[in-house]
Amino acid sequence: MDSLRFDGRIALVTGAGSGIGQACAALLAERGAKVMVLDIDQAAAEQAAAAMGVGAQPLTCDVTDRHAMREVVARIEARHGRLDILVNNAGIIRDKQIRNMAPEEWKAVLAVNTRGVWNGIQAAVPGMRARGYGKIVSMASRAALGNFGQTNYAFSKAGLIGMSRALALELGPDNITVNVVAPGLVETPLIRQANPELHERVARATPLGRAAQPREIGEAVCFLASEAAAYITAQTLFVCGGRSAKSARENWN
Ligand SMILES: NC(=O)c1ccc[n+]([C@@H]2O[C@H](COP(=O)([O-])OP(=O)(O)OC[C@H]3O[C@@H](n4cnc5c(N)ncnc54)[C@H](O)[C@@H]3O)[C@@H](O)[C@H]2O)c1
């Protein structure tokens, strides 16, 4: 079998109603997986899953709700017999310089970006362990290296990388790989509308000269979730057009 295909695999992608998560879910479905399109926004999950065809099913859940995430995984396993691939993509930003950041903004970002990921993993791991197979891929950000006005976000994404490396040690003996993708700026509808000027600046600061398309991040996720990456675990793949090789100083111009 083509090691980059997912025939017979069951995948769960969080935050899949929009942007990068939607692209990851669509690529997994195109390559043969049955994909659970999970989002806190029911309409977004339904719309995204419908566009992906029969291989995709919508699910509504808040990743910060530990019990709800356990129920979601239990339902998937009851219905499909297994969960092979978990893509922890749901994430939020609440950017502000520290002098203006409220504790609630710190807490909200950590709740989704770090604890939400931990919830999904804790729910998925028992079944993966029992079956001796699992691929966990989580979405960090190049901002884990530092980004102006993002103390909460950088902390959450750097924490996600550390957590994944620690988990890879625990789960390796059960044939479960744990990896991270760290995108630079990605052209999601939200970002394009919110700040067109940011695109210009990021393009100038990026060695490849442009922002990424969501599917370019999805390709990295698919690789790490595939058998082509069977011997890769505890790694962070920066998909940022080369920006990880530069200092954060370009953001201060
Ligand atoms: N867009 C970028 O430039 C960029 C760069 C680096 C990393 N990232 C990361 O990629 C991931 C996706 O970003 P995006 O740009 O596609 O964002 P997006 O806002 O387009 O999509 C995120 C999705 O997650 C869902 N979501 C939010 N909170 C949730 C929760 N508590 N439970 C379940 N679903 C929830 C939203 O409803 C939305 O559909 C995030 O983790 C983000 O931090 C994005």
Side-chain angles (χ1 to χ4, degrees), residues 162-239:
M163 176 168 76
S164 300
R165 291 169 64 90
L167 260 168
L169 303 179
E170 287 186 34
L171 303 180
D174 294 304
N175 192 33
I176 301 169
T177 63
V178 188
N179 291 294
V180 175
V181 171
L185 191 76
V186 185
E187 225 175 289
T188 55
L190 200 73
I191 282 178
R192 206 179 312 142
Q193 282 155 22
N195 197 344
E197 190 262 337
L198 182 66
H199 271 270
E200 287 300 309
R201 276 197 288 129
V202 170
R204 278 201 303 274
T206 302
L208 285 181
R210 62 177 176 85
Q213 295 301 313
R215 281 175 76 96
E216 293 177 302
I217 310 305
E219 290 288 357
V221 169
C222 281
F223 169 65
L224 291 171
S226 76
E227 280 312 292
Y231 201 60
I232 299 175
T233 195
Q235 301 306 305
T236 299
L237 181 53
F238 283 84
V239 188

Side-chain angles (χ1 to χ4, degrees), residues 15 18 20 39-40 61-63 89 91 139-140 153 157 184 186 188:
S18 166
I20 296 171
D39 206 284
I40 195 170
C61 187
D62 179 348
V63 296
N89 165 80
M139 200 61 70
Y153 187 73
K157 296 301 191 182
V186 185
T188 55

Side-chain angles (χ1 to χ4, degrees), residues 1-9 31 227:
M1 185 173 107
D2 182 343
S3 59
L4 288 163
R5 283 203 56 91
F6 300 99
D7 303 287
R9 298 285 181 212
R31 292 170 192 177
E227 280 312 292

